[in-house]
Amino acid sequence: MSAKSPRRDQGLDRELADLPAELRWREWMARVEAVLFASASPVDRDSLARVIGAEASLDLVIADVRAELSNRPYELVETAGRWMLRTRRQFADAIRAAADLDDGMLEFSETEMAVLCAIAYHQPIDRAGLAEIFGKEISRDLLTRLRLRELIATGPRAPRPGAPHTFVTTPVFLSTFDLQTLRDLPDLGLADVVPPYDSAASSV
């Protein structure tokens, strides 16, 4: 790393050697929780490891933080190999009743959900591949909406003439649908993944 790009943890006392072992551990737990609380997106393991001692077990620190939050209205969860704080499901109605929250990220039209599921189960897939599944073209506007919500991203180019870009799901997709990896997707047949559409219908 160049002198112009110092490590972000430079100057941070990670080891806390002056503290008794118990207080040292509690401080590491508090640091991990603080980082997760301050982050607007899930945090990877390497980032969390930078705030605790080099010889400390991040898995054990995380396990103790999760245990300490067991009676709190929020929890520490893993999604796509990253960690985040999330309010518990049983408080969803109370949060919506008390706060002016935008539910747009959780609302999907039937067509948006069908296209998102098709991408999730067949990724990487391009627009031509989606058209083969649905029997008609999928509009760029719909795909752009899913992209702007960070649920899909550009994947590798497809082996078709013109090498079009494909679409893949993202870590936001996993966290939105409470999945840790794509292996957690339900084992569904194609007929269950996407509804039948009239091939003569207009583009969605």
PDB file of all heavy atoms in Angstrom, residues 4 7-8 15 29 45 52 54-55 67-69 76 92 108 117 121 132 134 145 148 163 167 174 176 182 193-194:
ATOM      1  N   LYS A   4       0.483   7.281  -0.028  1.00  0.00           N
ATOM      2  CA  LYS A   4      -0.665   8.147  -0.286  1.00  0.00           C
ATOM      3  C   LYS A   4      -1.981   7.469   0.077  1.00  0.00           C
ATOM      4  O   LYS A   4      -3.007   8.123   0.122  1.00  0.00           O
ATOM      5  CB  LYS A   4      -0.680   8.543  -1.761  1.00  0.00           C
ATOM      6  CG  LYS A   4       0.502   9.413  -2.180  1.00  0.00           C
ATOM      7  CD  LYS A   4       0.390   9.808  -3.635  1.00  0.00           C
ATOM      8  CE  LYS A   4       1.552  10.687  -4.068  1.00  0.00           C
ATOM      9  NZ  LYS A   4       1.454  11.081  -5.483  1.00  0.00           N
ATOM     10  N   ARG A   7      -3.662   2.739   5.491  1.00  0.00           N
ATOM     11  CA  ARG A   7      -4.745   1.888   5.934  1.00  0.00           C
ATOM     12  C   ARG A   7      -5.742   2.699   6.738  1.00  0.00           C
ATOM     13  O   ARG A   7      -5.376   3.583   7.505  1.00  0.00           O
ATOM     14  CB  ARG A   7      -4.200   0.738   6.795  1.00  0.00           C
ATOM     15  CG  ARG A   7      -3.480  -0.335   6.023  1.00  0.00           C
ATOM     16  CD  ARG A   7      -2.955  -1.380   6.984  1.00  0.00           C
ATOM     17  NE  ARG A   7      -4.057  -1.990   7.734  1.00  0.00           N
ATOM     18  CZ  ARG A   7      -4.725  -3.061   7.320  1.00  0.00           C
ATOM     19  NH1 ARG A   7      -4.420  -3.623   6.174  1.00  0.00           N
ATOM     20  NH2 ARG A   7      -5.690  -3.578   8.049  1.00  0.00           N
ATOM     21  N   ARG A   8      -7.013   2.358   6.581  1.00  0.00           N
ATOM     22  CA  ARG A   8      -8.054   3.094   7.298  1.00  0.00           C
ATOM     23  C   ARG A   8      -7.972   2.870   8.801  1.00  0.00           C
ATOM     24  O   ARG A   8      -8.446   3.681   9.593  1.00  0.00           O
ATOM     25  CB  ARG A   8      -9.430   2.685   6.775  1.00  0.00           C
ATOM     26  CG  ARG A   8      -9.765   3.280   5.419  1.00  0.00           C
ATOM     27  CD  ARG A   8     -11.075   2.766   4.909  1.00  0.00           C
ATOM     28  NE  ARG A   8     -11.004   1.358   4.567  1.00  0.00           N
ATOM     29  CZ  ARG A   8     -12.051   0.626   4.216  1.00  0.00           C
ATOM     30  NH1 ARG A   8     -13.247   1.169   4.184  1.00  0.00           N
ATOM     31  NH2 ARG A   8     -11.908  -0.642   3.896  1.00  0.00           N
ATOM     32  N   GLU A  15      -5.162  -4.174  19.508  1.00  0.00           N
ATOM     33  CA  GLU A  15      -4.853  -5.229  20.471  1.00  0.00           C
ATOM     34  C   GLU A  15      -5.338  -4.921  21.885  1.00  0.00           C
ATOM     35  O   GLU A  15      -5.657  -5.838  22.645  1.00  0.00           O
ATOM     36  CB  GLU A  15      -3.341  -5.496  20.475  1.00  0.00           C
ATOM     37  CG  GLU A  15      -2.771  -5.821  19.103  1.00  0.00           C
ATOM     38  CD  GLU A  15      -3.473  -7.000  18.450  1.00  0.00           C
ATOM     39  OE1 GLU A  15      -3.924  -7.913  19.167  1.00  0.00           O
ATOM     40  OE2 GLU A  15      -3.576  -7.006  17.207  1.00  0.00           O
ATOM     41  N   MET A  29     -16.310  -6.432  21.093  1.00  0.00           N
ATOM     42  CA  MET A  29     -17.721  -6.630  20.798  1.00  0.00           C
ATOM     43  C   MET A  29     -18.400  -5.295  20.490  1.00  0.00           C
ATOM     44  O   MET A  29     -19.168  -5.180  19.532  1.00  0.00           O
ATOM     45  CB  MET A  29     -18.421  -7.318  21.973  1.00  0.00           C
ATOM     46  CG  MET A  29     -18.047  -8.766  22.188  1.00  0.00           C
ATOM     47  SD  MET A  29     -18.744  -9.429  23.731  1.00  0.00           S
ATOM     48  CE  MET A  29     -20.502  -9.126  23.506  1.00  0.00           C
ATOM     49  N   ARG A  45     -16.336  -9.474   6.317  1.00  0.00           N
ATOM     50  CA  ARG A  45     -15.530  -9.968   7.428  1.00  0.00           C
ATOM     51  C   ARG A  45     -14.213  -9.206   7.559  1.00  0.00           C
ATOM     52  O   ARG A  45     -13.775  -8.902   8.675  1.00  0.00           O
ATOM     53  CB  ARG A  45     -15.249 -11.459   7.244  1.00  0.00           C
ATOM     54  CG  ARG A  45     -16.474 -12.349   7.379  1.00  0.00           C
ATOM     55  CD  ARG A  45     -16.084 -13.804   7.156  1.00  0.00           C
ATOM     56  NE  ARG A  45     -15.084 -14.234   8.130  1.00  0.00           N
ATOM     57  CZ  ARG A  45     -15.369 -14.726   9.326  1.00  0.00           C
ATOM     58  NH1 ARG A  45     -16.635 -14.866   9.695  1.00  0.00           N
ATOM     59  NH2 ARG A  45     -14.406 -15.099  10.142  1.00  0.00           N
ATOM     60  N   ILE A  52     -10.663  -5.446  15.611  1.00  0.00           N
ATOM     61  CA  ILE A  52     -10.389  -6.311  16.763  1.00  0.00           C
ATOM     62  C   ILE A  52      -8.948  -6.800  16.690  1.00  0.00           C
ATOM     63  O   ILE A  52      -8.260  -6.630  15.687  1.00  0.00           O
ATOM     64  CB  ILE A  52     -11.355  -7.512  16.821  1.00  0.00           C
ATOM     65  CG1 ILE A  52     -11.120  -8.456  15.633  1.00  0.00           C
ATOM     66  CG2 ILE A  52     -12.800  -7.031  16.858  1.00  0.00           C
ATOM     67  CD1 ILE A  52     -11.950  -9.729  15.705  1.00  0.00           C
ATOM     68  N   ALA A  54      -5.550  -8.949  16.334  1.00  0.00           N
ATOM     69  CA  ALA A  54      -5.139  -9.836  15.246  1.00  0.00           C
ATOM     70  C   ALA A  54      -5.327 -11.301  15.603  1.00  0.00           C
ATOM     71  O   ALA A  54      -5.600 -12.138  14.735  1.00  0.00           O
ATOM     72  CB  ALA A  54      -3.678  -9.569  14.873  1.00  0.00           C
ATOM     73  N   GLU A  55      -5.187 -11.640  16.875  1.00  0.00           N
ATOM     74  CA  GLU A  55      -5.312 -13.033  17.293  1.00  0.00           C
ATOM     75  C   GLU A  55      -6.722 -13.374  17.785  1.00  0.00           C
ATOM     76  O   GLU A  55      -6.984 -14.513  18.151  1.00  0.00           O
ATOM     77  CB  GLU A  55      -4.302 -13.336  18.406  1.00  0.00           C
ATOM     78  CG  GLU A  55      -2.849 -13.090  18.009  1.00  0.00           C
ATOM     79  CD  GLU A  55      -2.445 -13.926  16.807  1.00  0.00           C
ATOM     80  OE1 GLU A  55      -2.888 -15.104  16.717  1.00  0.00           O
ATOM     81  OE2 GLU A  55      -1.698 -13.415  15.949  1.00  0.00           O
ATOM     82  N   ALA A  67     -25.488 -13.145  20.836  1.00  0.00           N
ATOM     83  CA  ALA A  67     -26.088 -13.617  22.086  1.00  0.00           C
ATOM     84  C   ALA A  67     -26.547 -12.442  22.938  1.00  0.00           C
ATOM     85  O   ALA A  67     -27.614 -12.482  23.559  1.00  0.00           O
ATOM     86  CB  ALA A  67     -25.085 -14.478  22.850  1.00  0.00           C
ATOM     87  N   GLU A  68     -25.760 -11.378  22.964  1.00  0.00           N
ATOM     88  CA  GLU A  68     -26.110 -10.220  23.773  1.00  0.00           C
ATOM     89  C   GLU A  68     -27.343  -9.500  23.230  1.00  0.00           C
ATOM     90  O   GLU A  68     -28.068  -8.837  23.971  1.00  0.00           O
ATOM     91  CB  GLU A  68     -24.921  -9.253  23.844  1.00  0.00           C
ATOM     92  CG  GLU A  68     -25.136  -8.117  24.820  1.00  0.00           C
ATOM     93  CD  GLU A  68     -23.819  -7.573  25.341  1.00  0.00           C
ATOM     94  OE1 GLU A  68     -23.175  -8.229  26.170  1.00  0.00           O
ATOM     95  OE2 GLU A  68     -23.452  -6.469  24.911  1.00  0.00           O
ATOM     96  N   LEU A  69     -27.577  -9.636  21.926  1.00  0.00           N
ATOM     97  CA  LEU A  69     -28.733  -8.985  21.315  1.00  0.00           C
ATOM     98  C   LEU A  69     -29.983  -9.867  21.334  1.00  0.00           C
ATOM     99  O   LEU A  69     -31.006  -9.481  20.772  1.00  0.00           O
ATOM    100  CB  LEU A  69     -28.410  -8.623  19.858  1.00  0.00           C
ATOM    101  CG  LEU A  69     -27.268  -7.633  19.634  1.00  0.00           C
ATOM    102  CD1 LEU A  69     -27.070  -7.390  18.146  1.00  0.00           C
ATOM    103  CD2 LEU A  69     -27.524  -6.317  20.353  1.00  0.00           C
ATOM    104  N   LEU A  76     -28.321  -9.512  14.789  1.00  0.00           N
ATOM    105  CA  LEU A  76     -27.171  -9.529  13.906  1.00  0.00           C
ATOM    106  C   LEU A  76     -27.305 -10.738  12.987  1.00  0.00           C
ATOM    107  O   LEU A  76     -27.387 -11.873  13.440  1.00  0.00           O
ATOM    108  CB  LEU A  76     -25.886  -9.620  14.733  1.00  0.00           C
ATOM    109  CG  LEU A  76     -24.554  -9.758  14.000  1.00  0.00           C
ATOM    110  CD1 LEU A  76     -24.377  -8.649  12.990  1.00  0.00           C
ATOM    111  CD2 LEU A  76     -23.409  -9.751  15.006  1.00  0.00           C
ATOM    112  N   ALA A  92     -42.190  -5.446  12.753  1.00  0.00           N
ATOM    113  CA  ALA A  92     -42.416  -4.762  11.476  1.00  0.00           C
ATOM    114  C   ALA A  92     -43.662  -3.891  11.509  1.00  0.00           C
ATOM    115  O   ALA A  92     -43.642  -2.737  11.060  1.00  0.00           O
ATOM    116  CB  ALA A  92     -42.516  -5.787  10.348  1.00  0.00           C
ATOM    117  N   PHE A 108     -43.418  -5.182  -5.055  1.00  0.00           N
ATOM    118  CA  PHE A 108     -43.126  -5.583  -6.423  1.00  0.00           C
ATOM    119  C   PHE A 108     -44.433  -5.879  -7.140  1.00  0.00           C
ATOM    120  O   PHE A 108     -45.358  -6.439  -6.554  1.00  0.00           O
ATOM    121  CB  PHE A 108     -42.262  -6.852  -6.465  1.00  0.00           C
ATOM    122  CG  PHE A 108     -40.936  -6.720  -5.767  1.00  0.00           C
ATOM    123  CD1 PHE A 108     -40.807  -7.031  -4.426  1.00  0.00           C
ATOM    124  CD2 PHE A 108     -39.821  -6.283  -6.462  1.00  0.00           C
ATOM    125  CE1 PHE A 108     -39.589  -6.917  -3.785  1.00  0.00           C
ATOM    126  CE2 PHE A 108     -38.607  -6.165  -5.836  1.00  0.00           C
ATOM    127  CZ  PHE A 108     -38.478  -6.481  -4.491  1.00  0.00           C
ATOM    128  N   CYS A 117     -37.393 -13.440 -10.243  1.00  0.00           N
ATOM    129  CA  CYS A 117     -37.230 -14.868  -9.964  1.00  0.00           C
ATOM    130  C   CYS A 117     -36.551 -15.582 -11.130  1.00  0.00           C
ATOM    131  O   CYS A 117     -35.693 -16.454 -10.925  1.00  0.00           O
ATOM    132  CB  CYS A 117     -38.590 -15.507  -9.690  1.00  0.00           C
ATOM    133  SG  CYS A 117     -39.288 -15.095  -8.079  1.00  0.00           S
ATOM    134  N   TYR A 121     -33.000 -17.660 -10.769  1.00  0.00           N
ATOM    135  CA  TYR A 121     -32.871 -19.096 -11.014  1.00  0.00           C
ATOM    136  C   TYR A 121     -32.084 -19.426 -12.277  1.00  0.00           C
ATOM    137  O   TYR A 121     -31.617 -20.560 -12.422  1.00  0.00           O
ATOM    138  CB  TYR A 121     -34.255 -19.739 -11.100  1.00  0.00           C
ATOM    139  CG  TYR A 121     -34.877 -20.009  -9.752  1.00  0.00           C
ATOM    140  CD1 TYR A 121     -35.627 -19.030  -9.117  1.00  0.00           C
ATOM    141  CD2 TYR A 121     -34.700 -21.220  -9.114  1.00  0.00           C
ATOM    142  CE1 TYR A 121     -36.192 -19.252  -7.877  1.00  0.00           C
ATOM    143  CE2 TYR A 121     -35.266 -21.465  -7.874  1.00  0.00           C
ATOM    144  CZ  TYR A 121     -36.007 -20.481  -7.253  1.00  0.00           C
ATOM    145  OH  TYR A 121     -36.559 -20.714  -6.015  1.00  0.00           O
ATOM    146  N   GLU A 132     -37.116 -15.853 -24.005  1.00  0.00           N
ATOM    147  CA  GLU A 132     -37.401 -17.267 -24.256  1.00  0.00           C
ATOM    148  C   GLU A 132     -38.244 -17.861 -23.131  1.00  0.00           C
ATOM    149  O   GLU A 132     -39.115 -18.704 -23.371  1.00  0.00           O
ATOM    150  CB  GLU A 132     -36.087 -18.039 -24.387  1.00  0.00           C
ATOM    151  CG  GLU A 132     -35.300 -17.707 -25.650  1.00  0.00           C
ATOM    152  CD  GLU A 132     -33.915 -18.321 -25.651  1.00  0.00           C
ATOM    153  OE1 GLU A 132     -33.588 -19.055 -24.685  1.00  0.00           O
ATOM    154  OE2 GLU A 132     -33.150 -18.066 -26.601  1.00  0.00           O
ATOM    155  N   PHE A 134     -40.366 -16.083 -21.049  1.00  0.00           N
ATOM    156  CA  PHE A 134     -41.674 -15.451 -20.956  1.00  0.00           C
ATOM    157  C   PHE A 134     -42.452 -15.448 -22.267  1.00  0.00           C
ATOM    158  O   PHE A 134     -43.644 -15.143 -22.280  1.00  0.00           O
ATOM    159  CB  PHE A 134     -41.537 -14.013 -20.445  1.00  0.00           C
ATOM    160  CG  PHE A 134     -41.132 -13.927 -19.000  1.00  0.00           C
ATOM    161  CD1 PHE A 134     -39.812 -13.774 -18.649  1.00  0.00           C
ATOM    162  CD2 PHE A 134     -42.087 -14.031 -18.003  1.00  0.00           C
ATOM    163  CE1 PHE A 134     -39.431 -13.708 -17.313  1.00  0.00           C
ATOM    164  CE2 PHE A 134     -41.722 -13.960 -16.667  1.00  0.00           C
ATOM    165  CZ  PHE A 134     -40.388 -13.811 -16.312  1.00  0.00           C
ATOM    166  N   ARG A 145     -35.512  -0.595 -13.443  1.00  0.00           N
ATOM    167  CA  ARG A 145     -36.086  -0.427 -12.099  1.00  0.00           C
ATOM    168  C   ARG A 145     -35.466  -1.402 -11.111  1.00  0.00           C
ATOM    169  O   ARG A 145     -35.145  -1.040  -9.973  1.00  0.00           O
ATOM    170  CB  ARG A 145     -37.609  -0.608 -12.146  1.00  0.00           C
ATOM    171  CG  ARG A 145     -38.357   0.510 -12.843  1.00  0.00           C
ATOM    172  CD  ARG A 145     -39.831   0.502 -12.498  1.00  0.00           C
ATOM    173  NE  ARG A 145     -40.505  -0.722 -12.888  1.00  0.00           N
ATOM    174  CZ  ARG A 145     -41.037  -0.925 -14.090  1.00  0.00           C
ATOM    175  NH1 ARG A 145     -40.956   0.016 -15.029  1.00  0.00           N
ATOM    176  NH2 ARG A 145     -41.661  -2.057 -14.367  1.00  0.00           N
ATOM    177  N   LEU A 148     -31.911  -0.191 -10.397  1.00  0.00           N
ATOM    178  CA  LEU A 148     -31.859   0.980  -9.528  1.00  0.00           C
ATOM    179  C   LEU A 148     -32.129   0.616  -8.076  1.00  0.00           C
ATOM    180  O   LEU A 148     -31.643   1.282  -7.160  1.00  0.00           O
ATOM    181  CB  LEU A 148     -32.860   2.036 -10.001  1.00  0.00           C
ATOM    182  CG  LEU A 148     -32.504   2.745 -11.308  1.00  0.00           C
ATOM    183  CD1 LEU A 148     -33.629   3.678 -11.735  1.00  0.00           C
ATOM    184  CD2 LEU A 148     -31.197   3.519 -11.161  1.00  0.00           C
ATOM    185  N   ALA A 163     -22.610 -10.387 -28.227  1.00  0.00           N
ATOM    186  CA  ALA A 163     -22.161 -10.566 -26.832  1.00  0.00           C
ATOM    187  C   ALA A 163     -22.888  -9.629 -25.872  1.00  0.00           C
ATOM    188  O   ALA A 163     -22.276  -8.791 -25.205  1.00  0.00           O
ATOM    189  CB  ALA A 163     -20.652 -10.363 -26.728  1.00  0.00           C
ATOM    190  N   PHE A 167     -27.659 -10.546 -16.803  1.00  0.00           N
ATOM    191  CA  PHE A 167     -28.084 -10.013 -15.514  1.00  0.00           C
ATOM    192  C   PHE A 167     -27.874 -11.070 -14.435  1.00  0.00           C
ATOM    193  O   PHE A 167     -28.081 -12.263 -14.666  1.00  0.00           O
ATOM    194  CB  PHE A 167     -29.559  -9.602 -15.557  1.00  0.00           C
ATOM    195  CG  PHE A 167     -29.855  -8.579 -16.622  1.00  0.00           C
ATOM    196  CD1 PHE A 167     -30.400  -8.967 -17.839  1.00  0.00           C
ATOM    197  CD2 PHE A 167     -29.565  -7.245 -16.413  1.00  0.00           C
ATOM    198  CE1 PHE A 167     -30.657  -8.043 -18.827  1.00  0.00           C
ATOM    199  CE2 PHE A 167     -29.817  -6.304 -17.401  1.00  0.00           C
ATOM    200  CZ  PHE A 167     -30.369  -6.706 -18.614  1.00  0.00           C
ATOM    201  N   LEU A 174     -30.192 -10.832  -1.917  1.00  0.00           N
ATOM    202  CA  LEU A 174     -30.139 -11.848  -0.867  1.00  0.00           C
ATOM    203  C   LEU A 174     -30.687 -11.310   0.455  1.00  0.00           C
ATOM    204  O   LEU A 174     -31.504 -11.965   1.106  1.00  0.00           O
ATOM    205  CB  LEU A 174     -28.699 -12.341  -0.683  1.00  0.00           C
ATOM    206  CG  LEU A 174     -28.086 -13.109  -1.860  1.00  0.00           C
ATOM    207  CD1 LEU A 174     -26.633 -13.435  -1.569  1.00  0.00           C
ATOM    208  CD2 LEU A 174     -28.863 -14.389  -2.147  1.00  0.00           C
ATOM    209  N   THR A 176     -32.676  -8.742   0.923  1.00  0.00           N
ATOM    210  CA  THR A 176     -34.087  -8.383   0.797  1.00  0.00           C
ATOM    211  C   THR A 176     -34.989  -9.590   1.015  1.00  0.00           C
ATOM    212  O   THR A 176     -36.046  -9.490   1.643  1.00  0.00           O
ATOM    213  CB  THR A 176     -34.370  -7.773  -0.587  1.00  0.00           C
ATOM    214  OG1 THR A 176     -33.621  -6.562  -0.729  1.00  0.00           O
ATOM    215  CG2 THR A 176     -35.847  -7.456  -0.768  1.00  0.00           C
ATOM    216  N   LEU A 182     -27.326 -18.063  -2.732  1.00  0.00           N
ATOM    217  CA  LEU A 182     -28.301 -18.501  -3.726  1.00  0.00           C
ATOM    218  C   LEU A 182     -28.708 -19.953  -3.523  1.00  0.00           C
ATOM    219  O   LEU A 182     -29.761 -20.378  -4.002  1.00  0.00           O
ATOM    220  CB  LEU A 182     -27.732 -18.305  -5.133  1.00  0.00           C
ATOM    221  CG  LEU A 182     -27.576 -16.846  -5.581  1.00  0.00           C
ATOM    222  CD1 LEU A 182     -26.853 -16.780  -6.920  1.00  0.00           C
ATOM    223  CD2 LEU A 182     -28.939 -16.163  -5.669  1.00  0.00           C
ATOM    224  N   VAL A 193     -41.657 -21.085 -10.984  1.00  0.00           N
ATOM    225  CA  VAL A 193     -40.841 -19.885 -10.859  1.00  0.00           C
ATOM    226  C   VAL A 193     -41.482 -18.702 -11.546  1.00  0.00           C
ATOM    227  O   VAL A 193     -41.533 -17.609 -11.022  1.00  0.00           O
ATOM    228  CB  VAL A 193     -39.431 -20.129 -11.456  1.00  0.00           C
ATOM    229  CG1 VAL A 193     -38.614 -18.848 -11.418  1.00  0.00           C
ATOM    230  CG2 VAL A 193     -38.734 -21.232 -10.700  1.00  0.00           C
ATOM    231  N   VAL A 194     -41.988 -18.916 -12.765  1.00  0.00           N
ATOM    232  CA  VAL A 194     -42.586 -17.813 -13.505  1.00  0.00           C
ATOM    233  C   VAL A 194     -43.983 -18.209 -13.950  1.00  0.00           C
ATOM    234  O   VAL A 194     -44.232 -19.344 -14.321  1.00  0.00           O
ATOM    235  CB  VAL A 194     -41.735 -17.443 -14.745  1.00  0.00           C
ATOM    236  CG1 VAL A 194     -40.406 -16.872 -14.313  1.00  0.00           C
ATOM    237  CG2 VAL A 194     -41.528 -18.637 -15.653  1.00  0.00           C
TER     238      VAL A 194
END
